[in-house]
Amino acid sequence: MYEEIARQLAKTNTRLVAVSKTKPPEDILRLYEKGHRIFGENKAQELQEKYEELPKDIEWHFIGHLQRNKVKYLAPFIAMLHAADSLRLLKEVNKQAKKHDRVIPCLLQFHIAEEDTKYGLDLVEAREILDSEVYKNLENIQICGVMGMATFTDDEKQVKKEFDELHHIFDTLKAEYFAEDPTFKEISMGMSGDYKIAQAAGSTMVRIGTLLFGERNYD
Ligand SMILES: *Cc1c(COP(=O)(O)O)cnc(C)c1O
């Protein structure tokens, strides 16, 4: 499966974040041995434990909602934070990154699905963050793009519409704030069930778990 997905994504230079949450280190090493280096997790403690145990050239992406009091555990090593959704979180990431003399790449998470969730910004809220003096003084974070999750549905038209919307948000912010900034280039969208739709809609990074590692068992 890994080879098939990798081949499919290579056509558009879309990168694969292998979502290894709940899965043991052996599963990660199996992909690592095939040359894969980008893995995604969504629990701070689980990620910290895996980081300590596994090879240090793995690029760890944090893809879930991150509580501010957990940022300090991840700041020394995370390669990217996919779900930044408040100025308060960005401030804390900046503060902890500074302690380690790092700049942490972050994506702004947008709420594009029909489902009700408390996570994710809209364009108005994103502009409020990007216009603020506080944000402009954050030197140890780098906003590299946007992230979103589509509605969990079989309705492909609906999913496509939501991915198109995220792409539009990306284009809008690029034009308004990042026109001169080549590092603002990522659109993180697409999971096991919808990655092909996301890829066709211009995703630069998909986050796939189940298709690579099998169903997750949460008990
Ligand atoms: C778990 C998770 C994924 C991967 O989901 P699959 O359906 O298993 O591919 C992707 N993105 C986020 C934010 C997740 O939490």
Side-chain angles (χ1 to χ4, degrees):
M1 200 55 182
Y2 170 69
E3 285 77 6
E4 192 181 319
I5 294 171
R7 214 177 309 118
Q8 167 72 20
L9 295 175
K11 294 177 189 166
T12 50
N13 278 324
T14 303
R15 289 195 291 158
L16 172 62
V17 179
V19 178
S20 47
K21 62 192 189 195
T22 78
K23 297 295 176 181
E26 306 86 83
D27 288 20
I28 295 173
L29 283 172
R30 217 170 291 130
L31 277 198
Y32 180 88
E33 278 151 19
K34 294 182 182 189
H36 195 74
R37 291 294 178 272
I38 308 177
F39 292 87
E41 293 280 337
N42 72 343
K43 295 271 186 296
Q45 192 182 342
E46 183 180 347
L47 172 51
Q48 208 186 355
E49 286 167 11
K50 286 174 174 169
Y51 167 72
E52 277 159 21
E53 178 165 350
L54 287 160
K56 291 298 171 284
D57 62 339
I58 288 180
E59 213 185 278
W60 291 106
H61 289 220
F62 195 81
I63 62 170
H65 180 73
L66 182 57
Q67 288 171 287
R68 276 174 296 139
N69 62 0
K70 304 278 174 67
V71 174
K72 57 178 175 287
Y73 302 117
L74 307 183
F77 68 88
I78 46 168
M80 186 171 278
L81 177 65
H82 281 240
D85 63 355
S86 74
L87 185 56
R88 289 166 80 203
L89 176 61
L90 288 172
K91 270 173 68 179
E92 180 63 16
V93 175
N94 186 76
K95 179 177 155 192
Q96 299 300 333
K98 196 179 192 120
K99 288 186 186 165
H100 299 279
D101 201 21
R102 302 187 61 211
V103 173
I104 297 182
C106 298
L107 306 179
L108 294 176
Q109 180 179 8
F110 285 87
H111 181 206
I112 52 171
E114 300 222 296
E115 288 139 8
D116 248 354
T117 137
K118 48 189 190 300
Y119 304 128
L121 304 163
D122 60 30
L123 203 42
V124 173
E125 292 165 328
R127 287 192 183 109
E128 264 168 32
I129 292 174
L130 297 170
D131 285 330
S132 71
E133 283 309 311
V134 171
Y135 164 73
K136 289 174 192 164
N137 289 314
L138 302 179
E139 293 181 340
N140 295 77
I141 57 154
Q142 175 78 46
I143 304 283
C144 296
V146 301
M147 176 270 204
M149 274 186 278
T151 305
F152 190 71
T153 170
D154 290 335
D155 183 350
E156 294 197 1
K157 276 205 185 111
Q158 176 69 26
V159 172
K160 179 181 184 312
K161 190 182 98 187
E162 292 168 3
F163 287 151
D164 286 345
E165 183 188 333
L166 188 60
H167 200 300
H168 175 73
I169 289 169
F170 171 85
D171 289 340
T172 304
L173 294 179
K174 179 83 187 164
E176 291 179 8
Y177 297 94
F178 299 99
E180 310 293 326
D181 183 352
T183 61
F184 188 86
K185 63 183 171 65
E186 304 292 356
I187 306 177
S188 167
M189 59 184 185
M191 311 181 12
S192 289
D194 56 21
Y195 82 94
K196 287 185 181 165
I197 305 173
Q199 184 182 16
S203 172
T204 66
M205 241 189 254
V206 296
R207 310 174 308 270
I208 296 181
T210 310
L211 275 184
L212 294 170
F213 298 111
E215 295 289 336
R216 285 176 292 274
N217 184 350
Y218 282 102
D219 26 85

